[in-house]
Amino acid sequence: MALDQSFVGRSYPPTDPYEVGREKIREFAEAIGDGNPAYTDREAAKALGHPDVIAPPTFVFAITFKAAGQVVEDPKLGLDYSRVVHGDQKFAYTRPVHAGDRLSVTSTIESIKSLAGNDILDIRGEVHDEAGEHVVTAWTKLVARAPEEEA
């Protein structure tokens, strides 16, 4: 079943703030194998002009993907999540994420396409800090695979 095209441009309410912690950043950097000291050492981060440790660029995926859940779980959209695979991810930063940030995400459906029976959903997540300043925009592409033909 094709997704409802009238959802293109629809935005969902901002998420509750997510507080970025030093330990979460350290765990994430360790998990991806990135030993950049700016991710784990406050003094190294401050020497680079940051107020605290900064997060690796892909760190915000966890909060933007969770925020995209508002889209995915919208029953009126008609997305069968059991058929969804993650197709692509992009980020555009205004500034790095750092420990102590309280970030909220507003998700918007940018496009819905059908290709070879697959539905392709592009979601833009605008991430702002507690002061309302833009931090990063994340684009997530989800592909809902077409049902397989029965033999």
Side-chain angles (χ1 to χ4, degrees):
M1 179 171 108
L3 297 178
D4 186 343
Q5 288 288 325
S6 73
F7 277 67
V8 173
R10 182 174 293 194
S11 291
Y12 291 76
T15 61
D16 290 334
Y18 173 89
E19 187 164 343
V20 179
R22 277 189 210 107
E23 185 63 12
K24 288 288 186 187
I25 292 172
R26 186 196 62 75
E27 290 170 348
F28 188 86
E30 186 176 280
I32 64 171
D34 193 329
N36 183 335
Y39 301 154
T40 56
D41 181 337
R42 279 183 85 183
E43 295 311 312
K46 285 183 175 189
L48 295 171
H50 304 291
D52 207 323
V53 296
I54 59 172
T58 55
F59 178 85
V60 295
F61 175 77
I63 62 172
T64 57
F65 192 73
K66 183 176 181 182
Q70 293 178 87
V71 177
V72 169
E73 295 167 6
D74 187 334
K76 294 178 182 171
L77 177 61
L79 181 67
D80 178 0
Y81 193 71
S82 71
R83 308 206 61 76
V84 170
V85 294
H86 186 243
D88 192 19
Q89 189 70 50
K90 295 187 294 189
F91 303 97
Y93 277 84
T94 300
R95 67 160 175 85
V97 169
H98 56 76
D101 274 337
R102 290 177 48 82
L103 304 175
S104 295
V105 183
T106 302
S107 296
T108 301
I109 298 174
E110 280 207 327
S111 70
I112 297 173
K113 300 174 191 153
S114 290
L115 182 62
N118 300 309
D119 286 320
I120 302 167
L121 178 66
D122 289 306
I123 303 168
R124 184 182 74 246
E126 296 288 348
V127 181
H128 292 84
D129 64 18
E130 204 167 30
E133 298 294 321
H134 180 265
V135 176
V136 59
T137 300
W139 290 271
T140 302
K141 184 180 296 292
L142 301 177
V143 179
R145 297 169 291 123
E148 295 176 13
E149 302 274 334
E150 290 189 34

